[in-house]
Amino acid sequence: MDNEHLDVTKAVAIVENIKEIIDANKEFLTRLDSAIGDADHGINMSRGFAKALEKVRNNQYNDIGAVFKDVAMTLMSTVGGAAGPLYGTFFMRASMKLAGQKEADLTLLAQAFREGLQGVVALGKAQLGDKTMVDALTPAIEALEAAAKQGLPLKEGLKRALDMAEKGMKDTIPLVARKGRASYLGERSAGHQDPGATSSYLILKAICEALGV
């Protein structure tokens, strides 16, 4: 097995892994969201990735982009709240960069995820420090890009990205939310870990595990 590239089989394994890891953390995500949101993030994400996996398992794919496109479409149509459009946009923009690609190395994956992040920022208008998923995704993707520039192996790049996503996630705890439902709480949103940053970290963790990191 080629450990330096993402391929179609591994892309499907990623979706399987995301579903499993979101399911395992469903209550945790909902608990985080009950503190500063609508208490439905875990439930919504679990439902969305269950449907995405169902869709992906019932199809045959020739390229990675098509896998992620189906994930995107499913999330947009089945996940409630802001998470569906935001994660749907992330996977859709990434899928456009990966369209027609049977394999992706670290450089291409970093480019695809950067496209995804830009889509999330354009849609949600969140910046670093606003206490959202952007706080986990931004440092993770910057780490991926830096690793790609250094010519590091795919696994090493992903490991660094995961470490930075975890740090970004934990760094949301003291922040005051400036976007989404949590922003209505003002100062009371401080002291709570952001559920969106947490699910972003978990998705990246699932990607790493599917690729043997």
Side-chain angles (χ1 to χ4, degrees):
M1 189 168 81
D2 177 5
N3 288 324
E4 287 315 310
H5 292 86
L6 169 64
D7 59 23
V8 173
T9 305
K10 290 179 199 165
V12 173
I14 281 171
V15 185
E16 289 173 346
N17 252 37
I18 294 173
K19 188 223 173 258
E20 280 179 23
I21 208 163
I22 293 292
D23 277 355
N25 288 275
K26 181 165 70 171
E27 265 109 41
F28 175 53
L29 289 172
T30 294
R31 202 159 63 244
L32 290 176
D33 198 32
S34 68
I36 57 173
D38 292 330
D40 60 0
H41 189 58
I43 299 151
N44 285 339
M45 292 292 285
S46 176
R47 183 178 63 239
F49 278 102
K51 292 284 189 190
L53 180 56
E54 205 178 290
K55 173 94 172 165
V56 167
R57 274 187 175 154
N58 288 327
N59 271 332
Q60 297 291 317
Y61 297 99
N62 292 316
D63 68 280
I64 308 163
V67 178
F68 286 170
K69 184 180 179 183
D70 272 355
V71 171
M73 301 290 281
T74 309
L75 294 179
M76 285 175 180
S77 63
T78 60
V79 180
L86 289 168
Y87 278 116
T89 296
F90 181 86
F91 279 100
M92 182 60 78
R93 289 285 291 267
S95 81
M96 289 156 74
K97 191 72 186 172
L98 296 166
Q101 301 290 334
K102 293 189 187 301
E103 288 188 336
D105 61 6
L106 180 58
T107 300
L108 183 55
L109 198 61
Q111 289 169 352
F113 285 2
R114 170 61 68 183
E115 287 285 330
L117 175 59
Q118 285 172 346
V120 167
V121 170
L123 181 64
K125 306 285 188 283
Q127 300 297 327
L128 206 55
D130 283 349
K131 199 181 182 97
T132 70
M133 60 197 282
V134 170
D135 291 305
L137 289 174
T138 301
I141 290 161
E142 284 173 354
L144 267 190
E145 290 169 334
K149 276 203 182 108
Q150 290 166 33
L152 295 176
L154 178 68
K155 284 186 179 181
E156 180 59 31
L158 282 167
K159 186 183 180 310
R160 291 185 181 197
L162 185 63
D163 288 345
M164 292 309 293
E166 184 176 20
K167 183 181 182 300
M169 170 187 77
K170 289 175 177 169
D171 285 349
T172 66
I173 294 170
L175 298 175
V176 172
R178 293 200 289 257
K179 291 288 171 188
R181 183 66 183 265
S183 65
Y184 302 161
L185 294 173
E187 297 292 331
R188 283 179 298 143
S189 63
H192 299 281
Q193 188 168 296
D194 181 65
T198 306
S199 57
S200 291
Y201 163 74
L202 291 171
I203 285 169
L204 195 57
K205 189 178 181 197
I207 291 169
C208 286
E209 285 177 3
L211 295 173
V213 176

